[in-house]
Amino acid sequence: MRRPLKSPLFTLPRAPTASVGALRDAEERIAMLLENKVAVIYGAGGRVGRAVARTFAREGAEVFLAGRTRATLDAVADEIRTAGGTAVTTRLDARDEQDVNAFVDGVAGRAGRIDISFNLIGYDIAPPPPAPSAGRPAREFARPVPTAATWSHFLTTGAAARHMAVRRSGAILALGGPAPGPAAGPGGFDVALDALEGLRRQWAAQLGRYGIRVVTLKAAAGETPEPIRTATPADIAAAAALVASDRAPALASATVNVSRRALVDF
């Protein structure tokens, strides 16, 4: 019987042996969604803002935190620095055009660019009475709308887009998005979210040619029936990190449902 020929073509090279530490380091590098990214986060002292800031920093981003309360911003930044991340805080009102532009220009000057802008400021909403919207004073009803569409998101989006367009790259995120079906709330909050979506569509159409992605993340607020559980701030932050990363380039003009089934899109 003839013996089979031994050919080097069928000899596989032996894989190099890596240490456990090297493998762990490689896994961490692969897992970091926002490595070397520069992220601006407004409302970083709030519940969701804190979670987003910590998650973005853990995923490798250099985070610049803005808000109206210095103490809460500094507390978040201290947590990030203790964990080995990089965080810078600035006290400002995201409804002030001069402050927003100066802040964003300063970040771009210090970091060299802006990759992510995430507006998470709260809206000025009075406790809704049981009366329908038509029975409320016009000023009280409309209070959240200019904050969402005109003052805050319009200003922060425009300020970031000026710098992102030069590099033809960037992600602009917001937390909002309209609930499916007719708005049932008695106040102007649902109208404010609809206005924010209109702004998102307009910005996405205009800025897409510059490589800028504009995405809103939609989460439920308030109580939901069991066994449905609303998304936690950590849930929202994890989704935002993926959306803002280079691993989601196709999410260029969209509303992403992160409500854990509390909101159902039809």
Side-chain angles (χ1 to χ4, degrees), residues 41-54 64-77 79 89-90 120-122:
I41 304 170
Y42 300 90
R47 290 179 63 247
V48 178
R50 290 196 303 269
V52 168
R54 291 194 297 260
F64 291 81
L65 313 180
R68 290 189 290 182
T69 306
R70 170 71 71 179
T72 55
L73 292 174
D74 287 343
V76 178
E79 292 180 15
T89 63
T90 299
L120 288 159
I121 74 164

Side-chain angles (χ1 to χ4, degrees), residues 15-31:
T17 302
S19 66
V20 174
L23 290 174
R24 187 181 297 113
D25 291 342
E27 290 174 356
E28 290 178 354
R29 285 196 298 272
I30 293 172

Side-chain angles (χ1 to χ4, degrees), residues 180 219-225 228-231 257-265:
E223 298 295 326
T224 56
I228 296 176
R229 182 170 72 87
T230 57
N257 190 330
V258 294
S259 69
R260 279 186 175 266
R261 299 182 295 113
L263 299 174
V264 180
D265 295 320

